[in-house]
Structures are given as C-alpha cells and as structure tokens.
C-alpha cells in the first residue's frame, strides 16, 4: 500500500476541510500516480473534493463509520471490511489518500510514501501522523520547486 500526501513543515495537511495551499504540479502528480488505481479516503476528504464526489478513473473507497451510500465509491466501515474489499487488489495499486484519521490507521500498512513537502507552516488543523524516519528510506527528492509563491519538494520513501 502507498500513501500520498502534501504536508507542510509542521506535518500539516489541511485547514478547515481544505488543502493548505494550491500547487498545480502537485495535483497533476497525484492524478498521474493514482489514475487507474484504488484510492482510500475518509468521508471528510471525499466531501473536500470537487463536487464532493469520487475522483474519476480510479476506484474510490471511503473508510467511514457513517452508514451511507456514495455513488461511484465503495464504503467500508472498518479495517476488516477494507481488507476484504482490497483482497483482490495488488497492494502497489492502492493509495491512501487522506485525511488525518485514515493516514493514522493505514500508515503501518504502507510500504511507500509519496510526499510533497511544503516549505513553511500554514496553520493547519489536520496533520499527517508522526512516523519513525529510521523506518523509511528516502529514494527520491526533487529539486526545490516554487508555484504560487510556495516552495516545495516531491519526495518518495520506501519502508526499510
């Protein structure tokens, strides 16, 4: 399983149900990496998406305690149900998509992280979970990029 996230220098991932800042090349990277794959997200992440709807051309799974029907998405109510739902999906084709609670629950199951590291602190109210850096190997880091006045790096980590 993979994790994909954009986080600021304080591990912030969102504020008021929205991304901390808009980085077009990050959104393009997310699309490129996840098209044709499975994404797992919480309900709040789903409603933060455009039209509060599942993303097209991906299998969308919403991990939530809510008993609701979401057209275009599978709904799972716990990790056992999620594991059953993913039974026939290769682990490398699954991307944990957010938010805070889902990242926290699934980080131990992940073997790769695709993180956009945003330089600066943006007053987040949702955070990426702490992780032991000694358990992860940095396998890629882009040069520092800048868009919309925000500097950042694309990184990839593999679990040791």
């Amino acid at each position: 399983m993979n994790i994909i996230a954009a986080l600021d220098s304080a591990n912030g991932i969102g504020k008021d149900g929205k991304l901390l800042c808009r980085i077009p090349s990050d959104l393009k990277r997310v699309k490129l990496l996840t098209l044709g794959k499975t994404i797992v997200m919480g309900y709040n992440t789903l409603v933060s998406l455009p039209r509060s709807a599942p993303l097209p051309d991906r299998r969308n799974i919403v991990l939530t305690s809510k008993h609701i029907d979401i057209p275009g998405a599978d709904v799972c109510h716990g990790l056992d149900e999620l594991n059953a739902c993913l039974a026939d999906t290769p682990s490398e084709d699954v991307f944990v998509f957010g938010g805070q609670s889902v990242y926290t629950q699934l980080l131990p199951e992940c073997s790769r992280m695709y993180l956009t590291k945003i330089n600066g602190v943006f007053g987040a109210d949702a955070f990426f979970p702490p992780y032991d850096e000694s358990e992860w190997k940095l396998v890629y880091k882009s040069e520092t990029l800048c868009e919309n006045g925000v500097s950042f790096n694309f990184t990839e980590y593999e679990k040791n």
Side-chain angles (χ1 to χ4, degrees):
M1 209 178 295
N2 307 285
I3 275 194
I4 193 162
L7 49 140
D8 73 7
S9 300
N11 283 355
I13 56 171
K15 181 170 174 70
D16 300 328
K18 297 181 179 154
L19 296 174
L20 296 175
C21 54
R22 185 165 172 76
I23 303 173
S25 63
D26 177 55
L27 299 175
K28 287 178 188 170
R29 180 178 186 235
V30 167
K31 184 176 182 179
L32 177 71
L33 288 168
T34 63
L35 272 177
K37 308 290 187 200
T38 297
I39 57 175
V40 179
M41 70 188 92
Y43 180 78
N44 290 338
T45 298
L46 173 73
V47 298
S48 75
L49 296 175
R51 302 176 324 282
S52 298
L55 292 175
D57 304 318
R58 283 154 270 223
R59 179 183 182 200
N60 290 252
I61 299 176
V62 179
L63 184 59
T64 181
S65 61
K66 297 178 187 298
H67 292 278
I68 54 174
D69 182 48
I70 302 170
D74 296 319
V75 177
C76 295
H77 300 103
L79 295 182
D80 289 341
E81 203 172 315
L82 176 64
N83 289 331
C85 195
L86 293 173
D88 295 329
T89 305
S91 179
E92 64 270 12
D93 289 345
V94 179
F95 284 82
V96 179
F97 205 70
Q100 179 176 317
S101 173
V102 174
Y103 285 139
T104 300
Q105 291 177 71
L106 296 177
L107 178 60
E109 308 302 317
C110 292
S111 58
R112 192 167 193 95
M113 294 192 295
Y114 296 87
L115 302 179
T116 300
K117 300 266 189 109
I118 304 167
N119 301 310
V121 177
F122 291 78
D125 57 18
F127 295 87
F128 194 79
Y131 59 94
D132 183 349
E133 291 188 23
S134 70
E135 293 180 6
W136 295 89
K137 176 183 175 187
L138 178 66
V139 295
Y140 173 76
K141 182 177 181 181
S142 72
E143 63 187 56
T144 300
L145 304 166
C146 188
E147 288 181 21
N148 292 338
V150 177
S151 70
F152 59 95
N153 300 87
F154 294 133
T155 63
E156 293 177 28
Y157 294 85
E158 288 179 354
K159 192 174 255 182
N160 291 328

